[in-house]
Amino acid sequence: MRYRLMTATSAVVLGLMTAAHAAEIDRDGANAIRDNLNSLLPEDIAKSGVVAVNPAGARYEIIYDLAKLLSKINPADFAITGLKPISMFATPRDNGLWNVEGDNSLNVSGHFKGPDQKRTDFTYSIASMVYTSVFDPAISYFRSGDFSARDIKVTTATDTEQVNASFGDMKYKLTSADGASADRTDFAVNGTLTAFAEQVSGKEMPPLQITADTIDFDAKVNSLPAKRLRDIVVLALDHAEEKQMSKESEETLKGMLRDAFPLISSLEETITLNNLAVTSAAGGGGAKSFGYRLAVNGPSNATQLGVALNAADVTFDSPMVPAAYSAFLPQAVDVQFAIPDMDFAAFSDEFMKLDLTKPPEGGEDAGKKAVERLFRDGRFVIDFPKVSAKSGVYDIDISAKVESRIDAGKDDYALQASILARDYDKTIAAVQQLAKTNPELNQASFGMLMVKGFAKTDPDGRQRWDVTVSPDGTVTVNGQQLKGPDKPE
C-alpha cells in the first residue's frame, strides 16, 4: 500500500530528506526529494513536471511550476495568466531540521466559474514574498519562521459586483515549542498588516469603502499532535480516490484518531483593526479599535468555546440618524459570550462507533446522538459574562446565562441575568427630552420609570436588576415575581 511507503520515506509538504541523507547535496538527493513530493500528487500531474529539484551549492532549489497543475482543467471553467514558477531553497542542518528560504512575487489574472456557473474575473498581485524558516520533517511543518509580503492587491469582479482590496505590508512570525506531553507541540504566530483598504461596488449599490491603518493578529494553539495529524492527512490522501473504505483502513484511521485525541489543549486567536473607517453614500463611521477574540480551552470532557467582540471610540456620521438621536449611538461596545462544558471526549467516543466501511445511512440520527453527547444529553448553555454599551447618555452592563436543550421548543429555556445601569436618571431624562419632539417616546419613558421602581442600588451607585426566567415561565426581578408559571396547554 502506498500509505506504508509514504509514512516510512516521505516528509509531507516539502518532501525533505532526513538528517541521515542530508550530508551531501547531490543529484540523487534532489531526485529523492522530487519523487517524495510527486508521490503526493495524482500520477498524471506528477508526470507533467510540476515539481523540479536541483542541487544548488550547499542547498537544494525546489521549483513549483504551478501552471502545469492547470493542464487538465477546462479553460472555460478556470484560466489564469502570468503564473510564474515559485522557487525556494532548502538547506540541511545537523539536527535533522532544514532551513527553508524564499523570495518570490506574484502577478496573475484569470477567471473561474462558481457552482452557479457565473463567471468571476480576478487579479492577484504581491510585489514581494520573502521568508526564512525552519522545517521539521518529523512533523512536516515549520518549527519557526519569519514571513513578509509587500504591496498586496486583489480584485474580483462579476457582472453585478466588484471588490478591490489591498494591503501595504504584511509581516508575521511563527514560533513553536515542545508541548506539555510527549509528541505534542505548541505553536504561536503573531503579525501585522498595514494600510488595509477594501472597496465594494455593484450595479444596485453605491461604493462602500473600508479602511484600517493596521490589522494586528495573534494566535496560539497548545498540545497539537502534529506528527499524528500528518499521518492522518497522508492516509486520507492515500485513499482519496477510493469509493469505499476497507475494514483495515477504518481500523488504522480510528487508531490514529484515538492516539491523536484530544487534538488540542487550548486555542486562542485575536484580531484587532486599528483606526477602522467605513464610508459610503449613506454616511460613514469608524472606531479607534475593533477587536475579535476566539478562545477554546479546558479538558476534553469540559471544553469551553468563547468569543469576544469589542469596539472603542466608535463614531457615526450619517444623514439617516437625526441629530437629536446621535447621543444614543454607542461610543464603546463589548460583547462576550461562551459555550461551556462541551464533552468532546464523549463526542469522539460516539464517532468511533460509526462504521466507515458502509455508506452513510441514518446519518441524521447518528449526528443527533453525537451532538447530544457533546452537550451532555442535549443540555445547551450559553454564558454572556459581559455585554456592555456606553454613550453620552447611557452606560449599561449585562451578564447572563441561558440554558435550554438542543431539541427543545422555543419556550423551554431558563435565564438568569443581571443588568446594571450607571446614571440611569440621565438616560430617562434624555428620552423625556426626545419625547418633546416625538410623542411616541412618552410611553418608553413611562416604561423606564416603572422599571426604575424595581431597581436596587449597588454600592457604586449603579442601578441593578437581577432577572430570572424559570423553565415553567415564572419571571422574577430582584426577587419580586412579575409573572407566574405558564398554564399547561
Side-chain angles (χ1 to χ4, degrees):
M1 185 184 294
R2 184 160 55 105
Y3 165 71
R4 295 192 181 95
L5 175 62
M6 290 172 66
T7 53
T9 65
S10 174
V12 182
V13 181
L14 294 182
L16 297 176
M17 305 295 288
T18 62
H21 298 87
E24 297 181 5
I25 306 298
D26 55 24
R27 172 48 56 185
D28 288 342
N31 290 343
I33 295 174
R34 179 203 62 201
D35 292 344
N36 283 333
L37 286 166
N38 280 332
S39 68
L40 301 178
L41 300 173
E43 187 175 353
D44 57 341
I45 297 294
K47 289 181 178 179
S48 70
V50 66
V51 180
V53 183
N54 299 310
R59 58 187 184 173
Y60 290 104
E61 181 182 20
I62 303 173
I63 303 170
Y64 291 92
D65 191 350
L66 300 180
K68 294 180 178 179
L69 290 173
L70 310 177
S71 61
K72 303 297 182 181
I73 300 177
N74 185 346
D77 296 328
F78 181 84
I80 188 168
T81 59
L83 192 59
K84 300 185 299 182
I86 295 175
S87 176
M88 64 182 66
F89 294 91
T91 306
R93 294 163 50 134
D94 293 338
N95 57 1
L97 305 179
W98 289 72
N99 291 335
V100 178
E101 306 164 81
D103 186 351
N104 295 276
S105 61
L106 180 70
N107 190 356
V108 300
S109 61
H111 67 265
F112 64 88
K113 287 184 178 179
D116 57 2
Q117 293 302 303
K118 291 184 178 180
R119 172 171 167 146
T120 298
D121 295 297
F122 64 86
T123 62
Y124 295 94
S125 66
I126 304 176
S128 174
M129 298 181 292
V130 180
Y131 53 91
T132 59
S133 57
V134 176
F135 181 82
D136 185 354
I139 62 173
S140 295
Y141 197 67
F142 300 103
R143 284 285 181 179
S144 62
D146 290 284
F147 306 82
S148 66
R150 177 173 53 83
D151 194 13
I152 307 164
K153 297 178 181 178
V154 178
T155 299
T156 62
T158 66
D159 59 352
T160 59
E161 183 181 85
Q162 179 167 322
V163 179
N164 300 312
S166 63
F167 296 96
D169 296 285
M170 177 186 70
K171 294 183 179 180
Y172 71 94
K173 176 184 288 290
L174 168 71
T175 59
S176 68
D178 291 338
S181 57
D183 298 325
R184 298 273 171 164
T185 308
D186 300 338
F187 290 97
V189 61
N190 62 81
T192 299
L193 298 96
T194 66
F196 166 70
E198 180 177 6
Q199 185 181 64
V200 182
S201 59
K203 291 182 178 180
E204 299 181 359
M205 62 173 292
L208 172 69
Q209 179 84 18
I210 304 172
T211 62
D213 287 355
T214 60
I215 301 177
D216 300 326
F217 58 93
D218 195 327
K220 57 185 178 182
V221 57
N222 292 330
S223 292
L224 189 75
K227 185 178 183 301
R228 293 189 177 102
L229 290 178
R230 188 239 4 224
D231 292 342
I232 291 171
V233 171
V234 172
L235 178 63
L237 290 171
D238 192 33
H239 294 279
E241 299 176 2
E242 296 179 5
K243 295 181 179 180
Q244 199 70 41
M245 180 176 286
S246 68
K247 196 65 179 177
E248 179 187 4
S249 297
E250 181 197 39
E251 291 175 356
T252 301
L253 174 60
K254 288 185 175 180
M256 288 179 169
L257 289 170
R258 193 175 292 109
D259 291 340
F261 288 144
L263 297 180
I264 60 172
S265 65
S266 65
L267 179 150
E268 185 174 326
E269 177 185 66
T270 303
I271 300 174
T272 304
L273 288 78
N274 299 296
N275 290 328
L276 172 67
V278 180
T279 57
S280 72
K288 184 176 182 180
S289 67
F290 176 82
Y292 155 85
R293 179 177 180 267
L294 170 70
V296 179
N297 53 63
S300 60
N301 64 347
T303 300
Q304 174 169 293
L305 167 67
V307 177
L309 300 170
N310 60 79
D313 293 344
V314 181
T315 60
F316 292 93
D317 181 12
S318 173
M320 299 178 65
V321 180
Y325 288 82
S326 61
F328 289 86
L329 297 174
Q331 298 170 352
V333 177
D334 190 350
V335 179
Q336 302 173 19
F337 66 91
I339 302 176
D341 203 28
M342 293 185 289
D343 193 343
F344 279 97
F347 181 85
S348 62
D349 288 343
E350 201 64 37
F351 174 82
M352 291 299 179
K353 297 176 183 179
L354 296 176
D355 188 346
L356 303 179
T357 66
K358 297 179 179 180
E361 297 178 357
E364 292 184 2
D365 290 340
K368 180 180 178 180
K369 190 170 184 179
V371 171
E372 287 178 350
R373 295 291 304 279
L374 175 65
F375 292 109
R376 301 190 185 280
D377 297 325
R379 186 176 62 86
F380 187 76
V381 177
I382 303 180
D383 281 336
F384 294 88
K386 184 175 185 180
V387 178
S388 68
K390 184 177 182 179
S391 79
V393 295
Y394 60 78
D395 185 350
I396 301 173
D397 279 287
I398 301 172
S399 60
K401 177 180 179 180
V402 181
E403 183 173 346
S404 184
R405 294 188 57 83
I406 59 175
D407 57 351
K410 63 180 181 179
D411 296 327
D412 189 2
Y413 72 95
L415 166 71
Q416 291 182 326
S418 293
I419 304 169
L420 291 99
R422 190 182 302 278
D423 297 330
Y424 189 59
D425 288 337
K426 182 178 180 180
T427 306
I428 295 175
V431 174
Q432 290 175 335
Q433 182 66 29
L434 277 179
K436 294 179 180 179
T437 55
N438 185 357
E440 294 181 358
L441 292 176
N442 282 317
Q443 186 174 356
S445 64
F446 178 72
M448 294 174 68
L449 287 170
M450 289 184 61
V451 169
K452 181 182 177 181
F454 292 98
K456 292 182 177 180
T457 303
D458 273 9
D460 62 2
R462 290 187 295 178
Q463 303 293 297
R464 170 186 287 272
W465 297 267
D466 290 325
V467 181
T468 299
V469 180
S470 301
D472 64 3
T474 301
V475 179
T476 63
V477 177
N478 287 339
Q480 301 182 56
Q481 181 173 304
L482 300 187
K483 176 185 174 296
D486 296 331
K487 294 182 180 180
E489 297 182 359

